[in-house]
Amino acid sequence: MARILVVDDEAIIALALSMLLEDHGHEVEVASNGRAALAAASNAPPDLLITDYMMPLMNGAELIAAIRSSDELRHVPIILSSAADEAQIRAATMAYDGFVAKPASKARILQEVERLLGR
């Protein structure tokens, strides 16, 4: 079982992702923006972080930059999930480990989660 931090400002997406991951044996914490996610990750580093790109207060690129600059968190694998074109996102950040385009199938999400958890 892995501890996964899900970050999305759309509550229904965060809930659906959380339920999917919990159904597959993971412990999930949810944050609604990058600032809240950074605080949660700093308190208890997750085994994996899944973040949306477009969010208020601190977007996905800013969150990823903050995670990668932290000695305690830089090792955490990150999945970036977005409806935006990945090529546009790559211009803002390349420091994530996996990308899942929205909307994504359950199988695709789980495939990327398991790949990054080394299973």
Side-chain angles (χ1 to χ4, degrees):
M1 170 176 80
R3 188 171 170 284
I4 301 174
L5 178 56
V6 171
V7 190
D8 202 304
D9 60 321
E10 293 187 42
I12 192 76
I13 292 174
L15 178 62
L17 190 51
S18 178
M19 290 172 56
L20 172 67
L21 295 168
E22 287 172 349
D23 286 349
H24 283 81
H26 301 293
E27 178 185 332
V28 180
E29 183 172 358
V30 175
S32 62
N33 62 64
R35 284 187 190 165
L38 188 56
S42 296
N43 286 336
D47 298 311
L48 176 72
L49 184 138
I50 302 173
T51 185
D52 186 20
Y53 179 68
M54 293 182 276
M55 298 180 292
L57 303 179
M58 177 186 274
N59 69 31
E62 294 164 335
L63 172 60
I64 291 168
I67 295 287
R68 294 298 185 234
S69 69
S70 166
D71 289 339
E72 296 81 27
L73 300 173
R74 72 171 35 129
H75 70 281
V76 174
I78 299 172
I79 296 173
L80 185 60
S81 179
S82 182
D85 182 57
E86 187 180 10
Q88 293 173 324
I89 293 170
R90 284 266 179 207
T93 182
M94 295 180 67
Y96 55 89
D97 303 294
F99 182 82
V100 176
K102 288 182 181 180
S105 70
K106 292 177 182 179
R108 173 70 182 111
I109 294 165
L110 292 171
Q111 174 189 29
E112 200 64 4
V113 166
E114 297 304 317
R115 180 182 75 81
L116 291 175
L117 290 175
R119 297 180 183 157

